[in-house]
Structure formats: C-alpha cells, structure tokens
Amino acid sequence: MNDKIIKRMEQLERINSNIKQLDHEELAHLYELVKLHNEALFIIGDLVAEAHYVKDTAYLERKRIHAETVKNGTGTVAMKEANAELAIYEYRKEERDATTLYIKFKGRQEAFNHSLIDLRQKRSKLEQELQNS
C-alpha cells in the first residue's frame, strides 16, 4: 500500500469517528452528517482512483516482466512460458492485492453514497415536520 492510500485512509477513519458521535435523529447533526459523508465520498473517490492506478501499474509491470522473460528465455515455448510464470508470481500477487483494495474502496464508495441519500431524505423529512409544527 502506498503512502497516499495510507494518508487518505487515516483521514477517512477520522471522519468515520466523527460520524459515529452524531445523532441521526437531530436535525443539526443531520446537517453535519451530510457534510461529513460528502467529505468521505471525496476521499473515497481518491482512494478508488489510487487503488485503480496501483492495480493498473501492477498489471503493466507483470506483463512487461512476462514478455521480457519469454523473449530472452531459451528452450521450448512451454519452458519459456513456465519460466515467465515463475518470474511473474510476485507481480500477480501484487496485482491481486491491488484489485482487492480497489473492490473494497468501490464497495465503500457505494455504501457511503447510499448513506448520504438516506441522510438527505431523513433531513428533509425532519425539516418538513418542523415546518408543519
């Protein structure tokens, strides 16, 4: 995991901590919750983009090493491919880890987006109730 992802994850954890302290039934807190969820979505967007970049970088490096190993290898095609697969094993693991991180952040992004929609609806409902009182 790179430093940018670590930094953004720490920021997200601080926001999550603030979110947990707020009451979803108080109008003033709902305004703050919406603000915090918007901030979180911005950070998660950065995390999704960075994870996608890491995933693509790992993929490109794996393909480059594979091609170089096959090109510079000796023996039969099967031997060249076997040697290339052995050479790229660690790169496949890096790519897998980056893909997992990307999927995790995409899921978190969806969850926060749905929560934001719910909070906005709840806020509107409370505002409406206050106007009708």
Side-chain angles (χ1 to χ4, degrees):
M1 207 175 321
N2 67 28
D3 291 340
K4 185 175 182 181
I5 290 176
I6 292 169
K7 178 183 170 194
R8 294 306 256 167
M9 286 178 68
E10 289 169 355
Q11 292 171 334
L12 187 59
E13 285 306 312
R14 282 192 294 275
I15 289 173
N16 279 334
S17 177
N18 291 337
I19 287 172
K20 288 177 184 175
Q21 296 174 13
L22 297 171
D23 183 359
H24 288 237
E25 301 304 321
E26 289 189 36
L27 187 57
H29 287 207
L30 285 170
Y31 280 102
E32 184 65 18
L33 283 164
V34 167
K35 180 181 149 272
L36 290 170
H37 275 73
N38 279 325
E39 288 178 30
L41 277 172
F42 183 76
I43 290 169
I44 294 169
D46 281 352
L47 287 167
V48 167
E50 190 64 24
H52 194 273
Y53 174 80
V54 170
K55 178 177 78 80
D56 284 352
T57 301
Y59 171 80
L60 291 172
E61 186 64 10
R62 176 178 64 83
K63 295 302 275 184
R64 184 186 66 77
I65 297 297
H66 183 272
E68 284 179 1
T69 305
V70 170
K71 179 182 172 191
N72 297 329
T74 58
T76 64
V77 171
M79 279 302 269
K80 288 181 178 183
E81 280 295 322
N83 287 332
E85 284 299 317
L86 290 171
I88 64 171
Y89 177 74
E90 290 302 318
Y91 294 99
R92 280 193 185 276
K93 288 186 350 186
E94 287 177 27
E95 189 177 352
R96 176 206 61 209
D97 293 345
T99 299
T100 300
L101 197 60
Y102 172 76
I103 291 168
K104 173 184 170 181
F105 291 141
K106 282 298 284 182
R108 189 174 285 185
Q109 187 178 38
E110 272 188 46
F112 264 86
N113 196 35
H114 290 295
S115 292
L116 181 59
I117 291 167
D118 291 342
L119 290 169
R120 286 180 176 158
Q121 289 174 345
K122 187 179 271 190
R123 183 183 68 187
S124 292
K125 183 179 176 186
L126 279 175
E127 287 172 341
Q128 189 82 27
E129 288 174 5
L130 286 172
Q131 286 178 353
N132 293 339
S133 301

